Amino acid sequence: MTLAISHLARRFGATQVLRGIDLQVRQGELIALLGPSGSGKTTLLRIIAGLDWPDAGALSFDGSDWLAKSAAERRIGFVFQHYALFPHMTVRDNIAFGLSVLPRADRPGKAQIAATVDRLLAFLQIGGLADRYPAELSGGQRQRVALGRAMAIEPRVLLLDEPFGALDAQVRRDLRRWLRGVHDSTGTTTVFVTHDQEEAFELADRVVVMNGGVIEQIGKPDEIYDHPATPFVARFLGLTVELPVTMRAGRAHAAGLDLTVLPRRAIPDGPATLFLRPADILPVPDPEAPFRVTEMATTGALLRIVAEDDTGCRIESEVPRRDGRDLRQGQPVGLRAVAGQIFPGSGQQPAQPIHTPKTLKEARP
Amino acid sequence: MSVAAVIEAPTRRQKRVLPGFGLTMGLTLTYVGIIVLLPVIALVLKGAEIGPLRFWEIVTAPRTLAALRLTITAAALATAFNALYGLLMAWVLVRYRFPGRRLLDAMMDIPFALPTAVAGLALTALFSENGWYGAILAPAGISVVYTIWGVAIAMAFTSIPFVVRTVQPILEDLDASQEEAARTLGATPFQIFSRVIFPAILPAYLIGTTIAFARSLGEFGAVIFIAGNLPMKTEVASLLAVIRLEEYDYNGAAAIALTLVAIALVLLALSNWLQAQLTRRRVPA
């Protein structure tokens, strides 16, 4: 274990931004802090960097107390969302900055600094840009320079704030793979902040899902995707269809729904809420079922089907187009759940419409 | 939203806040021509009438040379003081939040707003031997009034806002994350200032100090009260030009004025060129 965070709390005025964060980051790990804006992920990153200080809690690295150290003493590499390159310096001078400000006794010679910079330029595949100024670079190139500048001081931990936030989609995808490659060949412990789950899941060894200043779930991407620990994580990961169900002997039941595929869960009998992805719901023609197809629209590869019952319960599903060949408007259908998550309780917690764009319009008693 | 509003929107957008380019540009050029350019041209033409030989004679006359030397030295002193103090002032106004900050900010404009003659009178009263400052300085054998120091202080008073007001907005717009980046990279506070902040404000700082210097060269109202105006000793160039005018020596007045203008223009051109060099590759693509 290298980076240990416990009971970290931070408040800005009346707003409690972090409320008790516990997290351990292992040597060489690539960790994503994932959450909507305002979840406290950037504040957490800045506290790790020494750019902000918690009101309570502890932060240590390999046993040494980092809260007693300045940002410089921690020797971290920080990549800012908008890169924060020094506009009056060339790429070469930007990357050399961390080495050239070392106390004279520790500072490498000019030739040695130049050699380090050259090595980094080649490694980051920006060798041709050495004498350019930041204003003369594209967003993706600036990102690489910012990373090079942070890596030049051989940081113990690399911290990246929304590293791809300011880039367009194609560059984002390329840089994402490239960053994973950089991490794999340097082995530097890395923590990055993102609000994009695809980014977090593709890049990270472990994902930390944050919301409202607390950690909702920590786990490998697949674990989180398959087993969201809380209703928030479920909604955040696209399980946007929420249905009231009744638990009996560990199985969920609801009229018109075929839930036999779902595994048995250790949830007490009584009301519960089922969270589903539209893609995990399959409408099956069934004359007995209470649902009727009310809308069908194709998005190309997928068919978007909306089914409603008499009470106004409206469920959206997405199926591959050929699977919906037998379906017609107005046809009675049963809904088969292929996968889903069940949480105890009737799911009456305050609605979060921002994170559930395709929320279920439901007439609750 | 009503349908009417939707239809109206595009036409409203086409209307500009200011009248069209042709009209505004025409008015601007007319103003610049009549108020700024014409007097300068008239001055240059007047100077050209004199002829180079006579011009040289006037400018190198002992009294003129002494006046120019005093003016330039005092302006340099005032500018050096303002360069330091103006930067400090701008820094305090931008970087710290304290009660009375807005008042202090507003006070920076007093030298702009105050009639320079009033400033000159006030400074003379303060620094004269029985004034508040003078009473303290006189026993120490320091006299300000009727010396080059008095001239420099008057010049400094009237030109300080130029430095503060050019540096302040640049300092305000500085990206805080650049300083944070420098911090995480291990830079000391002094290194952050000298290698990140100062280079960022340098172009504006250069312009601000140059304008302050140019303004000091021509300072008249504030200076004549405190300078004592002894020929060869504490007589500034702009006063000498007025004296020549009063003596109906139009050529003498024009030659001195033209010399001052030339020095100011050369300096402004130089500092603009330097600024362009510094910022050439910094502008975003």
Side-chain angles (χ1 to χ4, degrees):
Chain A
M1 180 217 303
T2 54
L3 192 65
I5 298 164
S6 57
H7 308 307
L8 216 61
R10 178 76 173 106
R11 152 197 302 280
F12 292 131
T15 323
Q16 191 76 43
V17 182
L18 296 176
R19 354 171 152 236
I21 297 290
D22 292 278
L23 177 65
Q24 264 90 43
V25 181
R26 290 183 286 266
Q27 174 66 44
E29 244 186 330
L30 180 52
I31 294 272
L33 302 179
L34 173 67
S37 55
S39 59
K41 53 197 193 310
T42 295
T43 304
L44 178 57
L45 196 76
R46 289 174 57 84
I47 289 176
I48 299 174
L51 295 172
D52 194 7
W53 303 84
D55 299 317
L59 168 68
S60 67
F61 182 87
D62 276 347
S64 79
D65 179 12
W66 263 17
L67 293 181
K69 289 186 169 185
S70 70
E73 288 165 338
R74 292 180 198 187
R75 214 177 81 219
I76 47 94
F78 199 103
V79 177
F80 290 81
Q81 186 173 3
H82 299 287
Y83 322 128
L85 297 175
F86 305 127
H88 55 279
M89 294 180 200
T90 59
V91 166
R92 171 176 293 285
D93 292 342
N94 263 286
I95 294 178
F97 186 87
L99 298 173
S100 65
V101 295
L102 283 171
R104 200 172 294 271
D106 307 334
R107 196 187 310 160
K110 271 212 171 93
Q112 208 180 331
I113 292 181
T116 305
V117 173
D118 282 336
R119 194 168 44 75
L120 272 168
L121 285 168
F123 177 67
L124 301 172
Q125 301 153 23
I126 45 174
L129 308 175
D131 297 316
R132 298 246 195 118
Y133 283 80
E136 299 166 333
L137 303 176
S138 72
Q141 291 168 334
R142 284 178 210 179
Q143 173 65 270
R144 290 169 191 240
V145 176
L147 189 66
R149 185 177 65 176
M151 284 170 59
I153 59 170
E154 292 178 13
R156 294 191 180 101
V157 180
L158 198 55
L159 305 167
L160 302 99
D161 186 8
E162 294 275 1
F164 313 109
L167 302 169
D168 55 57
Q170 184 55 45
V171 181
R172 257 177 122 108
R173 272 192 294 276
D174 292 348
L175 268 183
R176 212 186 281 165
R177 275 177 215 126
W178 171 82
L179 181 67
R180 180 73 226 189
V182 167
H183 174 266
D184 290 346
S185 54
T186 60
T188 310
T189 310
T190 305
V191 180
F192 75 99
V193 157
T194 180
H195 61 264
D196 180 340
Q197 48 155 305
E198 195 189 315
E199 201 166 284
F201 282 30
E202 184 180 337
L203 251 175
D205 297 323
R206 283 197 301 157
V207 176
V208 177
V209 185
M210 292 181 67
N211 176 43
V214 296
I215 293 179
E216 296 266 347
Q217 189 172 5
I218 304 175
K220 293 200 169 78
D222 287 351
E223 282 167 23
I224 293 181
Y225 198 80
D226 294 338
H227 304 289
T230 65
F232 169 81
V233 180
R235 290 192 196 104
F236 194 69
L237 297 185
L239 283 78
T240 52
V241 176
E242 293 174 41
L243 290 172
V245 294
T246 308
M247 296 302 294
R248 275 198 301 274
R251 289 211 169 274
H253 298 275
L257 294 179
D258 176 5
L259 305 176
T260 47
V261 184
L262 299 183
R264 209 175 271 274
R265 294 284 313 274
I267 293 172
D269 288 0
T273 308
L274 172 65
F275 285 74
L276 297 161
R277 287 191 178 85
D280 291 338
I281 303 169
L282 184 63
V284 188
D286 175 1
E288 303 294 309
F291 289 98
R292 246 162 238 292
V293 175
T294 55
E295 279 176 44
M296 290 177 76
T298 174
T299 62
L302 294 173
L303 196 59
R304 202 171 64 86
I305 298 165
V306 176
E308 271 179 67
D309 71 0
D310 296 338
T311 65
C313 176
R314 192 170 178 277
I315 297 173
E316 202 178 293
S317 62
E318 275 173 12
V319 297
R321 209 162 52 181
R322 60 177 172 282
D323 291 353
R325 266 184 310 218
D326 307 338
L327 297 171
R328 298 287 173 272
Q329 192 95 0
Q331 189 176 21
V333 285
L335 299 174
R336 183 183 298 158
V338 180
Q341 286 298 311
I342 304 164
F343 295 101
S346 54
Q348 294 275 1
Q349 64 262 78
Q352 287 171 304
I354 305 163
H355 311 312
T356 54
K358 288 185 254 174
T359 192
L360 170 69
K361 262 192 230 154
E362 198 177 335
R364 286 209 175 91
Chain B
M1 195 201 286
S2 69
V3 177
V6 175
I7 294 167
E8 247 174 61
T11 45
R12 201 180 298 158
R13 194 174 302 159
Q14 282 171 353
K15 273 192 185 169
R16 301 225 177 102
V17 182
L18 284 172
F21 173 75
L23 185 58
T24 47
M25 189 65 183
L27 282 172
T28 306
L29 287 181
T30 310
Y31 181 90
V32 170
I34 292 175
I35 306 287
V36 182
L37 221 52
L38 215 56
V40 176
I41 290 170
L43 186 64
V44 172
L45 289 178
K46 185 75 199 158
E49 258 174 41
I50 304 168
L53 213 66
R54 177 84 188 104
F55 188 95
W56 185 248
E57 258 172 52
I58 296 170
V59 172
T60 54
R63 190 172 169 188
T64 319
L65 270 186
L68 284 173
R69 196 179 302 128
L70 172 79
T71 308
I72 292 168
T73 316
L77 281 172
T79 305
F81 176 77
N82 280 351
L84 282 173
Y85 186 68
L87 182 62
L88 191 74
M89 241 11 265
W91 182 265
V92 166
L93 286 175
V94 172
R95 288 303 170 109
Y96 303 110
R97 291 293 171 267
F98 51 90
R101 189 185 70 91
R102 294 173 68 100
L103 184 72
L104 192 66
D105 192 37
M107 278 168 60
M108 279 298 111
D109 289 328
I110 288 180
F112 275 161
L114 207 65
T116 51
V118 175
L121 276 171
L123 288 173
T124 312
L126 280 175
F127 283 102
S128 68
E129 265 172 47
N130 42 15
W132 290 351
Y133 300 161
I136 302 165
L137 294 173
I142 303 169
S143 58
V144 172
V145 174
Y146 309 146
T147 66
I148 185 172
W149 300 108
V151 177
I153 286 172
M155 286 174 171
F157 177 88
T158 52
S159 64
I160 182 91
F162 288 105
V163 180
V164 179
R165 292 295 187 227
T166 46
V167 173
Q168 202 180 353
I170 307 294
L171 210 50
E172 253 158 19
D173 288 349
L174 267 193
D175 182 4
S177 57
Q178 279 178 34
E179 283 165 56
E180 289 181 338
R183 247 166 77 200
T184 63
L185 291 166
T188 61
F190 177 74
Q191 285 170 326
I192 294 176
F193 181 80
S194 64
R195 299 193 48 186
V196 177
I197 299 173
F198 191 71
I201 59 175
L202 184 60
Y205 188 50
L206 212 64
I207 290 290
T209 46
T210 315
I211 296 175
F213 184 79
R215 179 78 178 74
S216 296
L217 277 185
E219 184 48 49
F220 180 76
V223 167
I224 54 169
F225 288 95
I226 203 168
N229 311 324
L230 292 173
M232 304 298 293
K233 287 215 173 94
T234 58
E235 188 179 57
V236 290
S238 50
L239 178 67
L240 187 59
V242 173
I243 290 170
R244 292 286 181 250
L245 210 59
E246 282 169 349
E247 293 165 349
Y248 304 106
D249 178 6
Y250 296 124
N251 285 349
I256 295 166
L258 203 55
T259 312
L260 286 178
V261 168
I263 297 171
L265 283 183
V266 166
L267 272 171
L268 276 179
L270 195 72
S271 111
N272 268 307
W273 178 79
L274 258 175
Q275 190 197 26
Q277 289 301 304
L278 284 172
T279 52
R280 194 166 42 108
R281 299 176 75 180
R282 275 195 222 173
V283 275

